[in-house]
Amino acid sequence: MTMAYHPSEELLAAFAAGKFDDHALLAVAAHASHCPACRRFIRTIETIGGVAIENAEPVPMSQGSFEAVLGKIERSAS
């Protein structure tokens, strides 16, 4: 199957970073499921992001921040 249209690299990078709403996510995911070139690009961006996270210096969290996040998750689930 030959693709006539490919999302821009900026769009694919945003997809890899999880910066989409459900509709855009579905459209790019559907395209990537049929396009090896776009899948490779997405995988590369995800790898770069993972390496950046692994190499980032840890930042201390403020007292009670973990509990605050858990509370937000619990409130949004109800």
Side-chain angles (χ1 to χ4, degrees), residues 34-58:
H34 296 288
C35 182
C38 289
R39 277 197 310 275
R40 278 192 302 275
F41 184 84
I42 291 167
R43 197 169 30 247
T44 299
I45 295 298
E46 289 171 340
T47 300
I48 291 168
V51 169
I53 289 171
E54 288 175 357
N55 292 327
E57 290 295 320

Side-chain angles (χ1 to χ4, degrees), residues 60-76:
M61 295 175 64
S62 61
Q63 186 78 15
S65 56
F66 181 71
E67 291 78 12
V69 168
L70 289 179
K72 288 182 180 182
I73 292 170
E74 288 174 6
R75 285 189 297 278
S76 69

Side-chain angles (χ1 to χ4, degrees), residues 16-27:
K19 296 183 177 180
F20 278 154
D21 62 24
D22 292 340
H23 297 99
L25 179 87
L26 181 60

